[in-house]
């Protein structure tokens, strides 16, 4: 009997026949994540239903030196959950459900395989907001959100996933269960171990449960579109709005080429402003409308804002957001190569200029667009591969962009993680000593290297 067969027999004995699938019984959605990168049918798919079963599975695999790839909703954009055919995939999809909403503590306790949308709905039903929100909400699991430290739409107000996690239960590679569950805001009992697992992309442990912070429901929001003369104005306007117009919920910057594209793809392609401007910002706040009107007037007087539209209804606000949501059309209308980077806020304008210049020098006439959640220091840039010589020189473009990120002290991954796809570029943002310290942490928690090998560190 092969070593793998022996391990699978042990896993079947511990988890039950129906929790250990092989071959054609494994649904193809477990072959790759949203990127479709290097799909492979794993040697087996494990479907545990309890923390104890996760612990048993990992203990057996660790003893056998069998690699294990934790899988959530498979919506990741960095290849982190993609298995090789020699790996065992461990899906958390049967560890699902809300355990408790504690209204006094304003927390929700959940199993790792619960979808983000289920948690949002449960919070809403209890009169709270669970503020993490991203386009994949219906499929991504909270375990995956925590393992990738997902960002999303409301970071400027509520922070990244890390800021919403109060406690975790984690199973280590050898099957030890760490109970780091906690409902308290203040809790300084030595090292805060849960932080190691947030953003660790399944390489340090398997998250099985979490306790998350809930927020009060926000009041009515106001949406404002401003046209700006330059990037410096975008930064000073952000600070002015934060000072005087209530808490921002969104601050989305769009460079002119992105904005034009977004307008041209509208069902009724009419620009909300009568002429073109270098930059546009879409701002949303939960503060009083009068305060926003006064602040806008002052910004217009100071020349920070050249023109503006203050949405007078939810319908008008939706119409403005449609321009920013043009990104949803990218895969249909171009062959996009997307970048998700971050830089110190003051430097994002220079970075965009530098990148555009270098891309133009190397591939004259190429088409790239720039936009981002700049209040979170996050810039997205998309290069249309159809505007490049074929086959598109993907690696060369990535090297060009990430080199510029490194030169300006930025991060090659703002929110999607490193996984497989950014591993070769990690050195632009994390120096050799820090990468070595990461490896030491990995060796400490997973000495046999069975958890998600090849991800983040290679
Ligand atoms: C339409 C769309 C919009 C998106 N928008 C955003 C966005 O705005 N912001 C953003 O940050 N991301 C976004 N993403 C990316 C993706 O949704 C997030 O990275 C999400 O957090 C991944 O969750 P998942 O459950 O699908 O994880 P998977 O893709 O299944 O896994 C991701 C990583 O986490 C690990 N993992 C999964 N579950 C566990 C667990 N329980 N324990 C340990 N490790 C685990 C995996 O091994 C892998 O390394 C978007 C994706 C799509 C498709």
């Amino acid at each position: 009997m092969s070593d793998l067969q022996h391990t699978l027999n042990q896993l079947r004995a511990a988890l039950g026949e129906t929790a250990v699938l092989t071959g054609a019984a494994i649904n193809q959605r477990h072959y790759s994540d949203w990127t479709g990168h290097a799909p492979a049918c794993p040697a087996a798919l494990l479907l545990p239903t309890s923390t104890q079963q996760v612990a048993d599975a990992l203990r057996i695999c660790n003893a056998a030196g069998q690699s294990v790839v934790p899988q959530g909703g498979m919506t990741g954009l960095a290849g982190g959950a993609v298995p090789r055919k020699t790996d065992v995939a461990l899906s958390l999809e049967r560890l699902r459900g809300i355990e408790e909403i504690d209204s006094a503590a304003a927390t929700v306790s959940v199993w790792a395989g619960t979808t983000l949308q289920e948690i949002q709905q449960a919070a809403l039903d209890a009169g709270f907001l669970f503020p993490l929100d991203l386009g994949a909400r219906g499929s991504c699991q909270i375990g995956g959100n925590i393992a990738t430290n997902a960002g999303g739409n409301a970071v400027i107000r509520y922070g990244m996933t890390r800021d919403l996690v109060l406690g975790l239960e984690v199973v280590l590679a050898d099957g030890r269960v760490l109970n780091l569950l906690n409902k308290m805001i203040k809790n300084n009992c030595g090292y805060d171990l849960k932080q190691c697992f947030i953003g660790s992309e399944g390489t340090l442990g398997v998250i099985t449960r979490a306790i998350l912070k809930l927020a009060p429901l926000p009041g009515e929001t106001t949406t404002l579109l401003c046209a700006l003369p330059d990037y410096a104005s975008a930064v000073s306007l952000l600070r002015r709005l934060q000072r005087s117009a209530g808490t921002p919920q969104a601050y989305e910057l769009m460079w002119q080429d992105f904005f034009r594209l977004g307008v041209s793809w509208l069902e009724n392609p009419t620009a909300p402003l009568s002429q073109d401007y270098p930059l546009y910002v879409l701002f949303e706040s939960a503060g009083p409308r009068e305060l926003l009107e006064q602040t806008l007037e002052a910004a217009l007087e100071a020349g920070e804002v050249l023109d503006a539209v203050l949405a007078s209804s939810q319908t008008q606000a939706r119409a403005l957001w449609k321009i920013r949501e043009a990104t949803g059309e990218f895969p249909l209308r171009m062959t996009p190569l997307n970048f998700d980077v971050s830089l110190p806020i003051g430097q994002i304008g220079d970075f965009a200029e530098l990148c555009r210049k270098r891309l133009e020098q190397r591939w004259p006439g190429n088409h790239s667009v720039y936009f981002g959640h700049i209040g979170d220091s996050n810039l997205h840039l998309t290069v249309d591969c159809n505007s490049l010589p074929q086959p598109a020189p993907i690696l060369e473009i990535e090297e060009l962009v990430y080199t510029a990120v490194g030169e300006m002290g930025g991060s090659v991954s703002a929110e999607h993680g490193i996984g497989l796809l950014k591993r070769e570029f990690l050195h632009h943002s994390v120096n050799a000593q820090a990468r070595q310290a990461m490896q030491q942490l990995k060796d400490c928690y997973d000495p046999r290297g069975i958890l998600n090998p090849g991800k983040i560190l290679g």
Side-chain angles (χ1 to χ4, degrees):
M1 191 190 298
S2 73
D3 288 350
L4 176 64
Q5 272 314 323
H6 180 64
T7 307
L8 292 182
N9 286 345
Q10 286 183 302
L11 288 165
R12 286 197 177 100
L15 275 61
E17 292 286 330
T18 56
V20 184
L21 307 184
T22 54
I26 301 175
N27 188 303
Q28 292 196 5
R29 70 194 165 80
H30 294 281
Y31 289 12
S32 187
D33 65 7
W34 196 267
T35 62
H37 181 76
C41 178
L45 172 68
L46 308 183
L47 295 160
T49 53
S50 65
T51 302
Q52 188 55 52
Q53 286 198 350
V54 173
D56 290 343
L58 288 181
R59 188 176 33 75
I60 291 166
C61 290
N62 192 55
Q66 170 60 53
S67 52
V68 177
V69 178
Q71 294 189 336
M74 305 301 282
T75 69
L77 297 175
V82 179
R84 300 166 302 186
K85 63 181 193 314
T86 50
D87 295 326
V88 162
L90 188 155
S91 170
L92 278 298
E93 67 194 43
R94 291 189 182 166
L95 253 74
R96 183 169 180 169
I98 310 284
E99 281 191 286
E100 182 202 24
I101 291 197
D102 181 334
S103 301
T107 58
V108 57
S109 307
V110 296
W111 290 96
T114 315
T115 65
L116 174 56
Q117 195 162 28
E118 286 173 276
I119 300 172
Q120 289 174 334
Q121 190 57 51
L124 215 55
D125 293 345
F128 286 97
L129 175 78
F130 180 57
L132 179 65
D133 188 36
L134 38 122
R137 63 184 76 75
S139 312
C140 63
Q141 300 174 2
I142 193 66
N145 300 145
I146 296 168
T148 57
N149 186 28
N153 303 333
V155 173
I156 193 169
R157 177 153 188 194
Y158 299 102
M160 304 276 284
T161 300
R162 184 183 300 284
D163 301 297
L164 302 171
V165 176
L166 282 175
L168 288 183
E169 180 183 77
V170 179
V171 184
L172 295 181
D174 61 7
R176 274 180 294 162
V177 179
L178 301 189
N179 181 344
L180 310 171
L181 294 166
N182 161 68
K183 286 184 180 176
M184 294 160 297
I185 307 276
K186 289 191 172 178
N187 183 351
N188 276 349
C189 281
Y191 306 131
D192 189 359
L193 291 181
K194 71 173 183 293
Q195 299 298 351
C196 297
F197 301 97
I198 304 173
S200 69
E201 300 183 51
T203 62
L204 297 182
V206 175
I207 297 158
T208 44
R209 290 155 81 194
I211 299 183
L212 310 161
K213 275 190 214 170
L214 297 174
L217 288 168
E220 212 168 283
T221 56
T222 315
T223 303
L224 170 70
L225 176 75
C226 295
L228 315 174
D230 49 32
Y231 183 78
S233 301
V235 179
S236 48
L237 177 65
L238 170 65
R239 300 306 172 214
R240 182 192 291 276
L241 288 163
Q242 284 176 321
R243 253 190 336 266
S244 326
T247 318
Q249 305 228 113
Y251 195 77
E252 300 291 314
L253 196 68
M254 297 169 271
W255 274 252
Q256 189 189 73
D257 39 15
F258 176 93
F259 189 82
R260 276 194 195 154
L261 213 61
V263 170
S264 72
W265 290 348
L266 293 175
E267 249 171 57
N268 169 20
T270 315
L273 298 168
S274 57
Q275 64 179 84
D276 273 350
Y277 295 95
L279 285 159
Y280 301 83
V281 72
L282 198 55
F283 172 75
E284 198 170 83
S285 98
R289 191 181 171 89
E290 307 73 56
L291 221 52
L292 186 54
E293 281 168 351
Q294 285 165 17
T295 312
L296 174 60
E297 222 165 277
L300 281 159
E301 260 170 43
E304 263 164 23
V305 174
L306 301 176
D307 201 354
V309 179
L310 187 56
S312 54
S313 65
Q314 284 309 312
T315 315
Q316 199 183 4
R318 281 298 322 137
L320 294 175
W321 271 103
K322 275 259 173 249
I323 301 171
R324 172 61 181 81
E325 286 161 7
T327 46
E329 296 281 306
F330 280 3
L332 308 173
R333 303 192 185 240
M334 52 165 99
T335 306
L337 178 59
N338 298 316
F339 291 90
D340 158 51
V341 299
S342 65
L343 294 121
I345 291 181
Q347 278 161 266
I348 290 181
D350 291 342
F351 172 82
E353 244 174 67
L354 177 72
C355 245
R356 201 190 288 279
K357 197 169 113 206
R358 287 188 183 170
L359 285 167
E360 183 55 29
Q361 274 167 352
R362 181 67 188 83
W363 298 284
N366 79 84
H367 185 217
S368 59
V369 289
Y370 299 76
F371 55 100
H373 326 275
I374 70 139
D376 315 333
S377 58
N378 185 186
L379 178 76
H380 294 294
L381 89 92
T382 296
V383 181
D384 183 3
C385 292
N386 295 337
S387 68
L388 293 160
Q390 299 299 316
I394 308 276
L395 268 180
E396 215 187 319
I397 303 169
E398 289 179 328
E399 195 55 54
L400 182 151
V401 172
Y402 292 132
T403 300
V405 169
E407 283 169 12
M408 296 187 78
S411 164
V412 296
S413 174
E415 57 180 4
H416 297 157
I418 298 298
L420 276 178
L421 299 185
K422 291 193 177 176
R423 203 180 57 183
E424 306 311 322
F425 307 107
L426 184 63
H427 67 97
H428 289 296
S429 299
V430 181
N431 77 3
Q433 289 75 8
R435 292 199 306 280
Q436 190 187 28
M438 284 186 181
Q439 185 62 56
Q440 285 169 330
L441 191 62
K442 167 79 176 163
D443 294 343
C444 164
Y445 282 128
D446 179 19
R448 300 201 68 184
I450 65 150
L451 274 179
N452 223 358
K455 311 293 166 54
I456 304 182
L457 293 169

